[in-house]
Amino acid sequence: MIDVELASIPAGTVAMHDARRKRKWTVELEPFEIAVFAVTEELYAEHADAPSRHPRRPATDMSWFAAIRFCNALSEWEGYDPAYRFDGVDVVWDVTSDGYRLPTEAEWEYACRAGSTSATYGPLGEVAWTSADGVSTPQNVGGKLPNLNGLFDTLGNAWEWCWDLLDPARYGEYRVFRGGGFADDAWSVRASTRRGGEPRMHHDDVGFRVARGGFDAEGEAQGWSLLADRERAAYDGPLPPGWTPRR
């Protein structure tokens, strides 16, 4: 079986930004672990019914739900308590669990930046696969230089799902993905760029990497809060043009 290589990320703070609401805030993070590489086709195939045609490429064309189920399968295989449970169609995160999970958006950005306050942690040509490379598929993980946390491909190659909702008032249940992909221009391949999609959607440039770390809390951890999600979703007026219809 393939071992998941994790990097230990120390406690610290990260500045977050919500462009639509014109809000900035700082998140204090406890220590956690995050994978050095995105989940590869080879690793994914060991725990899911999926082919591995290109073993060292990031596993893409992957929905958020598929990533959640993979995290639980990997946890159970390695003897950890699963981080997620399904309550009907809803996914509940047990923040005390020591199992594998998706990083929160704040964890992802903090780990990606690795102390940098710039848009990228190095020259894009050296650290990220982007449209400038002229490739038409994701590339094998680890082909560019890592950041100072020792993480590869957090920028470029494949977008990475996070736990958080994107903007529940505007987009409903859409979940965040971060980092940019192989077909994206430099404008999208930045540590602060936020995108997202419906949790059942899948595209050939969206994958994920796993994290670990449990916390002594309930309903909130590492910049995420269930209460904050509910407050962000609260919108009683008519939906403006371009907003996602509510179910």
Side-chain angles (χ1 to χ4, degrees):
M1 300 296 291
I2 301 170
D3 292 329
V4 179
E5 186 177 353
L6 298 172
S8 297
I9 308 298
T13 61
V14 60
M16 305 295 289
H17 178 216
D18 185 326
R20 182 182 70 80
R21 296 191 298 161
K22 297 180 173 60
R23 177 173 175 255
K24 296 182 179 181
W25 69 101
T26 298
V27 175
E28 294 187 5
L29 294 168
E30 297 182 42
F32 63 99
E33 294 181 298
I34 192 167
V36 170
F37 304 105
V39 171
T40 61
E41 288 189 14
E42 183 178 34
L43 177 60
Y44 187 81
E46 285 194 345
H47 301 278
D49 183 16
S52 176
R53 299 184 182 91
H54 307 283
R56 293 297 294 166
R57 289 184 187 176
T60 57
D61 211 16
M62 196 68 52
S63 73
W64 184 84
F65 279 125
I68 290 292
R69 292 187 181 95
F70 173 86
C71 288
N72 276 358
L74 184 60
S75 295
E76 291 171 355
W77 176 262
E78 295 196 8
Y80 298 115
D81 293 330
Y84 303 116
R85 63 179 175 85
F86 285 83
D87 183 8
V89 297
D90 296 325
V91 178
V92 178
W93 173 23
D94 176 5
V95 300
T96 67
S97 167
D98 61 353
Y100 289 97
R101 56 181 178 78
L102 296 179
T104 68
E105 187 175 13
E107 286 178 328
W108 186 95
E109 184 164 339
Y110 179 63
C112 173
R113 287 189 176 281
S116 172
T117 57
S118 300
T120 69
Y121 48 81
L124 274 185
E126 298 178 10
V127 304
W129 294 103
T130 70
S131 62
D133 293 296
V135 296
S136 58
T137 62
Q139 301 299 293
N140 287 355
V141 298
K144 299 273 187 169
L145 295 178
N147 68 12
L148 291 181
N149 283 327
L151 308 182
F152 291 86
D153 304 306
T154 51
L155 294 179
N157 212 18
W159 295 88
E160 297 179 359
W161 286 112
C162 295
W163 163 252
D164 307 64
L165 292 166
L166 178 64
D167 182 344
R170 179 170 184 174
Y171 295 112
E173 62 183 4
Y174 279 31
R175 297 285 175 163
V176 169
F177 47 77
R178 290 290 210 112
F182 65 88
D184 288 289
D185 296 333
W187 176 253
S188 293
V189 188
R190 297 178 296 157
S192 61
T193 300
R194 304 178 75 240
R195 299 278 174 82
E198 202 272 338
R200 295 170 183 79
M201 66 146 267
H202 47 91
H203 290 304
D204 64 359
D205 61 350
V206 179
F208 66 104
R209 81 177 61 215
V210 296
R212 277 193 62 217
F215 308 96
D216 186 16
E218 183 176 349
E220 61 179 6
Q222 302 293 77
W224 168 78
S225 162
L226 179 59
L227 177 60
D229 279 352
R230 289 171 176 167
E231 290 175 346
R232 289 197 301 146
Y235 182 85
D236 296 329
L239 295 185
W243 283 38
T244 300
R246 303 262 177 80
R247 290 186 175 180

